[in-house]
Amino acid sequence: MNMYADVLVEIKAKQVDKTFTYLIPTNLKDKIKVGVLVVVPFGKKQVEGYVLNIHNKKIDFEIKEIINIKNEERVLNEELIELGYFLKEETLCSLSNCISSMLPKALKAKSGNVVNKKYLSYLVLVNKDGKFNVQQQRIIDLFKNNNEILKKEAYLISESATKTLIKKGNIKEIKKEEYRYNLRVDELDKPKKLNLEQQNAVDKISSYFNTSKTILLHGVTGSGKTEIYMNLIEKVLKEKKTALVLVPEISLTPQLILRFNKRFPKLIAVLHSHLSDGERFDEWRKIEKGECQIVIGARSAVFAPLKNIGIIILDEEHSDSYKQENNPKYHARKVAIKRSLYHNCPVILGSATPSLDSMARALKKRYEYISINKRASGADLPNISLVDMSEEAKARHNILSRELEYKIIERLNKKEQIVLLLNRRGHSTIITCANCGFTYRCPYCDITLTYHKTNKHLRCHYCGYTKYVDDVCPSCHEKSLNYYGLGTEKLEEYLKEVFPTAKIVRMDADSTTNKGFYEKIINDFQEGKYDILLGTQMVSKGLDFPKVSLVGIINADASLNIPEYKSNERSFALLTQASGRAGRSNIKGEVIIQTYNIMHPILKCVLNHNYQAYFNYEMKIRKTLKYPPYYFLVQIKLKSRDFNLVSNEIKKVKNYLENNISKDSIVLGPSPANPFLINGIYNYEILVKYRIDDKLINTLKELDKIYTIMPKISLDIDLSY
Ligand code: ADP
Ligand code: ZN
């Protein structure tokens, strides 16, 4: 009987998004299973593809044969294939785009990228009798206490003697796979005795085991959520099930991994962006083979091939990093909930600052809600105060207010630590000539260039364009350039001037480019090698430093003033999380927030640790302005290098939408996206707000088809904007 495979081929053209049927040749019949990668003829080429289905339906037209199998181990299981189709529905991207974004690079169907398994050579003893010279005997003696030894060790004695022994048949070489990433376990941690609130949370959540309930765990910073997660995981493991733990990339600190690893030695696989392709390939296969029961990872780890999942945890569930900004634009929270239905297991959404969306669902009883209002250590939440920077600027204190400066000196004297947040990297953001008015701008994007003093160059934070700069104005050739705007580099420079004896370290995307730097800064700060840690939002997340007693927010307005409907939500979370780094242990914590908007309602809520007030305020705005969670929002972007083309087409898109979707839906725009020009490409956007619209998805699919075929222009749809 002939067997056939439906294969999803990997070819760039978006139009070809369907499977093709191939005959399975007799010699491959045993090997080809659903989920393996195969090589098939396609036109005149050979391409790779995923086998999504196998069947014996009679086919009466001539059909090509599968050429070969690429990997005997399958890369997709039934659940992942189902998730691929789910993603396609959620994002309107092609199935092959969805499936390949779920997989580590080494397992994607493609040509050329070869990541191999790593093997180590060992030697085993076959026959210890014979006549040996001194070196040969020493090698034979290595087996007295070991059944097998590394070939490298024998080579240390003598390479030629080793080879002779192999030839004579006294010893034999075997190869064993060696995983490239292995967590070491130096010490073990016992579980902490949970306090009453923690125990209640654990009990309540465990009562939802073996159901697909989503539970919002709203616990203030330092309330011991991680401890709760570990306790739940222990219970899940006892039931012989597995656990998936997602955290934002930025909180995937060595601190956190160490904490889990000490508690669950040898059971953990880690997936994050600092792994090499080889390491990720190995971690993935450890999970697939069932060698690890717990996966900790960032967004894309939501696709980890765990079987028999007993709990899924999203820590810091409000984090933007759970949303993928490239295609397919999926949200890990939705994928997690989808998986929970498959596995019949609960999803825990943990946060000190739940997303508006999750809180709204909890209020509607769609999610279970559990809150914890006290810190686990018994410490109080920090005292927060606002400083009016317009007053300070008059006194020529526009970087550090007098109050913050004074408090820093106070902590330095007490040998306590300080964290300062400034959400803008680089040195200065605007360079202008005082003589002729010239300003450095990116030639490809419509933004000003940021000055990075460390290597004396200007950089565009959108496209990466760089330019070396000297002291003279390129326009009038006078030495009259002024540097405005405050970035982390300038702040560091300023702090070193004002506190010459303090030890200061900066953490931002520029100071952590090298692998390991991030880890080193955190470890060194933890060990007290620095007094002040300053940085971008990197310093606000998940870090637990007991000696930090002061947190300073240099410019709270930076995030509040971003023209985006989510800016209040993001600001509240950022400021609350950053504040949460202060006073986590036995020293009282204090937070100073510097702002030019002293009356801003969001700042008031941060000040009072009042999530509820913030929630009510923001929900009212969202309701009035018809934004999520009251309305769904779709962002449609049209992009082209050709200005005339894109500005004409965007009007057509608007017309098409208005004529083909529900009259109750609202079409906003077109307007230039922010920024309008990126890397030489013009960007327009249209927003659609809707509640129920049966026609919308098909209309968007039609638009997508039109612009997929049209040259020199591309359409980008974000269904969960
Ligand atoms: P969160 O994840 O909610 O920010 P953590 O789990 O990091 O909080 O806990 C904050 C601090 O309190 C940590 O240093 C942790 O070791 C400690 N802690 C948590 N639970 C307990 C407990 N039951 N008893 C004592 N200390 C605890
Ligand atoms: Zn640029």
Side-chain angles (χ1 to χ4, degrees), residues 188-200:
L188 294 181
D189 257 359
K190 280 203 204 70
K192 290 202 163 56
K193 174 142 180 44
L194 297 183
N195 62 38
L196 192 64
E197 282 191 299
Q198 284 173 318
Q199 189 59 51
N200 285 341

Side-chain angles (χ1 to χ4, degrees), residues 104-107 115-118 177-183 269-287 515:
K105 198 168 164 199
L107 294 172
V115 178
N116 290 316
K117 294 180 199 170
K118 185 181 166 190
E177 185 176 0
E178 163 89 354
Y179 293 131
R180 272 158 281 213
Y181 183 85
N182 289 299
L183 289 167
V270 178
L271 292 169
H272 61 76
S273 67
H274 285 298
L275 299 183
S276 67
D277 290 341
E279 287 171 334
R280 206 189 312 249
F281 175 52
D282 291 355
E283 291 298 287
W284 181 271
R285 284 178 312 110
K286 273 188 213 169
I287 303 165
K515 202 174 163 173

Side-chain angles (χ1 to χ4, degrees), residues 442 445 460 463:
C442 176
C445 308
C460 170
C463 73

Side-chain angles (χ1 to χ4, degrees), residues 46-321:
Q46 293 188 4
V47 297
E48 292 181 13
Y50 311 96
V51 173
L52 296 191
N53 189 22
I54 291 177
H55 57 86
N56 58 4
K57 280 179 225 140
K58 254 204 161 11
I59 292 186
D60 40 19
F61 51 89
E62 183 142 3
I63 199 162
K64 290 178 181 163
E65 271 189 12
I66 290 178
I67 297 171
N68 209 343
I69 178 167
K70 200 187 163 206
N71 228 327
E72 297 206 6
E73 291 165 29
R74 57 180 190 176
V75 300
L76 294 167
N77 59 32
E78 316 272 337
E79 188 204 357
L80 292 184
I81 293 172
E82 204 177 281
L83 276 182
Y85 284 103
F86 170 75
L87 273 196
K88 181 179 152 82
E89 281 307 304
E90 282 284 307
T91 64
L92 305 185
C93 289
S94 71
L95 184 61
S96 70
N97 185 197
C98 292
I99 284 190
S100 66
S101 76
M102 295 167 25
L103 296 171
K105 198 168 164 199
L107 294 172
K108 291 186 211 287
K110 220 170 139 199
S111 42
N113 70 46
V114 199
V115 178
N116 290 316
K117 294 180 199 170
K118 185 181 166 190
Y119 289 100
L120 279 187
S121 290
Y122 291 84
L123 299 171
V124 288
L125 189 62
V126 181
N127 175 9
K128 65 177 171 22
D129 303 322
K131 264 195 179 162
F132 306 118
N133 65 25
V134 181
Q135 287 175 329
Q136 290 167 351
Q137 188 61 51
R138 275 175 60 200
I139 293 170
I140 295 286
D141 289 345
L142 289 175
F143 292 95
K144 273 189 183 145
N145 301 317
N146 304 293
N147 291 329
E148 55 189 42
I149 58 163
L150 273 171
K151 189 164 95 175
K152 269 196 302 205
E153 272 180 64
Y155 272 20
L156 279 181
I157 295 171
S158 159
E159 186 172 330
S160 70
T162 309
K163 285 180 175 161
T164 310
L165 286 172
I166 293 175
K167 216 182 277 166
K168 289 206 293 184
N170 291 92
I171 57 177
K172 189 173 76 180
E173 184 175 342
I174 55 167
K175 286 184 192 278
K176 276 203 199 168
E177 185 176 0
E178 163 89 354
Y179 293 131
R180 272 158 281 213
Y181 183 85
N182 289 299
L183 289 167
R184 282 207 353 242
V185 195
D186 296 327
E187 40 184 329
L188 294 181
D189 257 359
K190 280 203 204 70
K192 290 202 163 56
K193 174 142 180 44
L194 297 183
N195 62 38
L196 192 64
E197 282 191 299
Q198 284 173 318
Q199 189 59 51
N200 285 341
V202 167
D203 291 346
K204 183 130 188 211
I205 295 169
S206 333
S207 74
Y208 287 108
F209 280 176
N210 303 309
T211 75
S212 55
K213 190 76 184 172
T214 300
I215 300 151
L216 178 59
L217 176 62
H218 181 185
V220 297
T221 53
S223 57
K225 293 186 289 295
T226 313
E227 215 52 51
I228 294 176
Y229 304 151
M230 293 196 290
N231 215 284
L232 289 163
I233 291 171
E234 211 165 281
K235 289 186 191 295
V236 163
L237 294 179
K238 272 196 194 123
E239 297 191 5
K240 300 264 181 289
K241 294 196 168 187
T242 63
L244 177 55
V245 183
L246 300 179
V247 297
E249 184 69 48
I250 221 169
S251 352
L252 208 47
T253 57
Q255 272 188 324
L256 181 93
I257 294 173
L258 193 71
R259 213 165 140 189
F260 270 86
N261 196 38
K262 279 179 177 178
R263 193 68 177 270
F264 305 106
K266 300 216 170 78
L267 299 181
I268 292 170
V270 178
L271 292 169
H272 61 76
S273 67
H274 285 298
L275 299 183
S276 67
D277 290 341
E279 287 171 334
R280 206 189 312 249
F281 175 52
D282 291 355
E283 291 298 287
W284 181 271
R285 284 178 312 110
K286 273 188 213 169
I287 303 165
E288 158 73 24
K289 288 194 225 159
E291 292 170 16
C292 292
Q293 279 72 47
I294 305 170
V295 173
I296 305 181
R299 180 182 59 233
S300 66
V302 75
F303 301 110
L306 275 174
K307 285 164 211 127
N308 202 11
I309 301 179
I311 194 167
I312 303 177
I313 294 164
L314 259 86
D315 189 30
E316 314 284 1
E317 68 89 30
H318 62 279
S319 169
D320 290 332
S321 72

Side-chain angles (χ1 to χ4, degrees), residues 442-447 449 460-465 677-679:
C442 176
Y444 306 107
C445 308
D446 60 348
I447 61 164
L449 294 170
C460 170
H461 284 182
Y462 277 94
C463 73
Y465 167 83
L677 183 65
I678 303 176
N679 213 355

